[in-house]
């Protein structure tokens, strides 16, 4: 059985994470597609992932946005499992915050899941009047509101904060009157009255590409701990040199758990955090990755660059992508403080046999030499694996390879010219292991109006990085 929408006897989503693992198989996925030269609007692509259909692994619908230059990025939902117990709530609108224009689109995915349509829009003026801009993560709240993180002020200076919107996408204001130096992602765990938020950098800096000389002044290295009920910061955790640019942040899905992880992009380490006996939140690096030694690259060593992480709904495995190195890793986190490598797959990147750069050391022990990168249905895998999304049953991992248009142009210009991809990885969710599916390839370089850059992946019924349980 596969899903064609989101219909439940109760509210949206599932009663628990384990119930979600038993839900219907995904039949569709939605991805924002970015037009890198801004000559036409970005759009939302609908991809058929039901292997019984003739249109399997094809884009079956494209919904253009209403304006050019939005730079769609991440997405969320108007309602999710956080309000599963409320039958008046429905997961019927995909929320698309625009990173560059500060606009928020609400897309109707319930009327016809295979052909989404525009529903509501929050315009830039409605957003920027709050003093926040450069939007990123959207999460639905149990109250019925929608919360979106911001990374800057309207002038592009660094400023971390959170917007609150209602179901009509009316901007109600900010979630808190406090702000952080930088902003990016967030995750809340209501049973422990806590929210964690992370940091990227200054919009005026990162929207122009990456300059390592600006890391000390223009990029973050802190985690922020918030009192969820009182909406106040209660602790700041400085991650130091081992936690530079902490991006995606995840708690375990079990709402009773105090364990979580963040991927430090530049340092390329996975950092675990939890609450100690005194009630303070503590952290340590639990996966430390060496930087490969390179000849011909911009620097003598290359940061693997962790750009996305997620946790399986049964809280057994952690997955993360190394966008520059070119691999996805799977770790068993049954003991969250001592992860164990369970699988790895190479999907491109800068470390490849026969590539433009020579690797002379520093690769993982399980892959000591530059790996062979496979072709899929005749396609060379350009760029590196970036956004990842796991099926609810934990057996399929979907992958796209665009990070952010300015960074794509800097690090993988051929991918920008030829378009990005979406792949599927077969997962051993019992013993561990990752294997590329050679029959699945979505070619965003062959789009009707020209190549585009595909980003975050969402299922109509919720997934590992959208739903939070209260």
């Amino acid at each position: 059985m596969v899903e064609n929408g989101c219909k439940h006897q109760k509210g949206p989503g599932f009663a628990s994470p384990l119930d979600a693992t038993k839900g219907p198989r995904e039949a569709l996925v939605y991805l924002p597609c970015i037009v890198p030269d801004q000559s036409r609007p970005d759009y939302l692509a609908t991809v058929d992932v039901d292997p019984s259909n003739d249109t399997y692994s094809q884009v079956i619908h494209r919904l253009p946005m209403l304006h050019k230059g939005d730079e769609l990025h991440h997405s969320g939902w108007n309602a999710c499992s956080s309000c599963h117990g409320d039958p008046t709530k429905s997961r019927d609108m995909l929320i698309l915050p625009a990173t560059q224009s500060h606009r928020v689109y609400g897309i109707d995915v319930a009327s016809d899941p295979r052909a989404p349509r525009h529903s509501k829009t929050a315009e830039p003026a409605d957003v920027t009047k709050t003093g926040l801009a450069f939007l990123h993560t959207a999460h639905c709240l149990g109250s019925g509101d929608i919360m979106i993180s911001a990374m800057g002020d309207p002038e592009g200076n660094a400023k971390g904060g959170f917007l609150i919107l209602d179901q009509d996408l009316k901007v109600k204001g900010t979630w808190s009157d406090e702000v952080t130096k930088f902003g990016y992602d967030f995750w809340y765990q209501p049973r422990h009255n806590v929210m964690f938020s992370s940091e990227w950098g200054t919009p005026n800096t990162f929207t122009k590409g990456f300059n390592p000389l600006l890391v000390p002044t223009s990029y973050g290295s802190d985690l922020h701990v918030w009192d969820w009920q009182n909406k106040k910061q209660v602790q700041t955790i400085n991650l130091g040199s081992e936690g530079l640019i902490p991006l995606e942040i995840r708690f375990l899905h079990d709402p009773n758990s105090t364990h979580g992880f963040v991927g430090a992009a530049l340092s390329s380490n996975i950092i675990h955090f939890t609450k100690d006996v005194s009630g303070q939140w503590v952290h340590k690096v639990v996966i430390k990755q060496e930087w490969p030694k390179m000849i011909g690259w911009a620097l003598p060593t290359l940061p693997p660059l962790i750009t996305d992480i997620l946790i399986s709904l049964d809280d057994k495995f952690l997955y993360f992508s190394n966008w520059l190195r070119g691999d996805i890793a799977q770790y068993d986190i049954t003991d969250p403080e001592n992860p164990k490598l369970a699988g790895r797959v190479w999907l491109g990147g800068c470390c490849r046999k026969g590539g433009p750069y020579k690797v002379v050391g520093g690769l993982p022990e399980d892959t000591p030499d530059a790996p062979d990168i496979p072709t899929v249905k005749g396609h060379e895998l350009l760029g590196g694996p970036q956004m990842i999304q796991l099926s609810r049953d934990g057996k399929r991992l979907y992958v796209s390879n665009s990070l952010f248009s300015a960074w794509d142009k800097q690090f993988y210009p051929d991918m920008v010219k030829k378009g990005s991809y979406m792949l599927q990885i077969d997962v051993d969710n019992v013993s561990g292991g990752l294997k590329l599916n050679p029959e699945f390839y979505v070619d965003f370089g062959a789009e009707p109006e020209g190549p585009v850059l595909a980003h975050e992946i969402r299922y109509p019924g919720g997934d590992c990085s959208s739903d939070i349980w209260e």
Side-chain angles (χ1 to χ4, degrees):
M1 178 181 178
V2 295
E3 65 180 5
N4 287 314
C6 187
K7 297 179 181 179
H8 304 283
Q9 293 180 346
K10 294 187 177 181
F14 301 87
S16 71
L18 291 182
D19 281 351
T21 66
K22 303 169 187 175
R25 175 178 170 145
E26 68 284 354
L28 303 171
V29 301
Y30 303 125
L31 299 87
C33 293
I34 293 82
V35 177
D37 65 2
Q38 301 185 357
S39 61
R40 52 194 169 91
D42 299 341
Y43 59 90
L44 181 70
T46 304
V47 176
D48 188 335
V49 295
D50 182 348
S52 67
N53 289 339
D54 292 339
T55 51
Y56 176 61
S57 79
Q58 296 178 33
V59 178
I60 59 172
H61 186 265
R62 300 164 185 87
L63 177 69
M65 296 300 104
L66 304 178
H67 303 270
K68 298 178 184 179
D70 284 315
E71 182 98 18
L72 300 180
H73 196 61
H74 281 213
S75 60
W77 294 105
N78 68 311
C80 63
S81 294
S82 63
C83 50
H84 175 73
D86 186 348
T88 68
K89 301 291 191 303
S90 176
R91 190 197 310 259
D92 54 19
M93 191 164 59
L94 184 69
I95 306 302
L96 290 173
T99 304
Q100 295 277 38
S101 71
H102 327 308
R103 188 173 284 111
V104 182
Y105 292 102
I107 308 301
D108 173 5
V109 296
S111 298
D112 184 353
R114 295 176 68 85
R117 63 190 71 171
H118 284 280
S119 177
K120 301 174 175 67
T121 306
E123 294 296 343
D126 300 322
V127 171
T128 57
K129 68 183 180 183
T130 66
L132 297 176
F134 297 92
L135 306 180
H136 192 267
T137 299
H139 276 305
C140 43
L141 306 184
S143 65
D145 287 332
I146 300 159
M147 185 166 165
I148 302 177
S149 62
M151 300 180 287
D153 67 16
E155 289 71 44
N157 303 303
K159 183 180 182 181
F162 307 92
L163 295 175
I164 295 293
L165 295 82
D166 66 17
Q167 288 291 309
D168 293 319
L169 292 195
K170 301 297 184 185
V171 178
K172 298 173 69 173
T174 58
W175 175 74
S176 172
D177 58 5
E178 298 184 16
V179 297
T180 57
K181 183 177 180 181
F182 301 104
Y184 187 72
D185 196 20
F186 70 100
W187 195 280
Y188 61 95
Q189 198 78 323
R191 294 188 189 180
H192 294 282
N193 189 34
V194 68
M195 181 183 83
F196 269 64
S197 64
S198 61
E199 301 184 330
W200 187 3
T202 303
N204 282 337
T205 298
F206 69 68
T207 56
K208 298 172 184 175
F210 179 66
N211 182 347
L213 298 178
L214 298 179
V215 169
T217 57
S218 297
Y219 289 91
S221 59
D222 288 345
L223 297 181
H224 303 280
V225 186
W226 300 77
D227 182 308
W228 180 241
Q229 292 297 325
N230 293 323
K231 305 174 184 178
K232 300 291 185 182
Q233 292 184 68
V234 294
Q235 188 179 345
T236 298
I237 301 172
N238 181 262
L239 303 176
S241 61
E242 293 188 321
L244 297 175
I245 314 184
L247 295 183
E248 307 295 335
I249 192 162
R250 307 282 185 261
F251 269 95
L252 295 190
H253 296 287
D254 177 358
N256 294 310
S257 177
T258 61
H259 293 282
F261 299 89
V262 64
L266 184 58
S267 298
S268 299
N269 298 322
I270 296 292
I271 296 168
H272 167 264
F273 55 84
T274 192
K275 187 162 59 174
D276 68 13
V277 292
S278 72
Q280 287 292 294
W281 293 87
V282 295
H283 76 284
K284 71 173 183 178
V285 175
V286 290
I287 302 173
K288 187 174 180 61
Q289 297 191 119
E290 187 175 354
W291 290 24
K293 299 176 179 62
M294 310 291 288
I295 294 176
W297 200 67
L299 298 171
T301 57
L302 176 141
L305 209 74
I306 297 175
T307 51
D308 197 16
I309 72 170
L310 60 77
I311 296 170
S312 60
L313 284 167
D314 61 4
D315 290 334
K316 182 176 181 180
F317 290 111
L318 169 75
Y319 300 83
F320 60 89
S321 57
N322 288 302
W323 189 60
L324 288 181
R325 194 169 70 184
D327 60 301
I328 293 175
Q330 175 195 35
Y331 276 78
D332 186 324
I333 54 169
T334 305
D335 178 356
E337 297 187 50
N338 295 283
K340 304 297 182 185
L341 181 66
R344 191 188 310 277
V345 62
W346 292 86
L347 301 172
C350 297
C351 298
R352 61 173 76 200
K353 187 176 293 185
Y357 315 115
K358 184 177 181 181
V359 185
V360 293
L363 288 174
E365 290 183 1
D366 57 290
T367 316
D369 300 316
D372 286 310
I373 304 301
T375 58
V376 182
K377 303 187 88 170
H379 295 277
E380 179 186 5
L381 298 186
L382 301 173
Q386 209 284 98
M387 295 306 298
I388 52 178
Q389 191 56 261
L390 186 67
S391 61
R392 289 188 292 264
D393 63 9
K395 296 179 179 180
R396 292 165 301 284
L397 189 71
Y398 296 90
V399 186
S400 62
N401 61 341
S402 169
L403 175 58
F404 188 69
S405 63
W407 292 43
D408 293 347
K409 293 171 186 176
Q410 179 179 353
F411 291 102
Y412 293 120
D414 285 348
M415 180 186 73
V416 176
K417 294 175 184 176
K418 298 180 181 180
S420 62
Y421 63 59
M422 186 171 79
L423 306 174
Q424 186 190 87
I425 309 302
D426 294 324
V427 179
D428 183 338
N429 65 342
V430 177
S431 303
L434 302 174
K435 184 179 180 182
L436 178 63
N437 178 352
E439 300 304 319
F440 188 100
Y441 186 90
V442 183
D443 183 6
F444 289 99
E447 286 293 272
E449 295 188 60
V452 292
L453 303 170
H455 198 65
E456 190 176 41
I457 301 160
R458 285 273 176 250
Y459 308 139
D463 49 58
C464 295
S465 56
S466 67
D467 282 33
I468 295 174
W469 279 265
E470 297 196 353

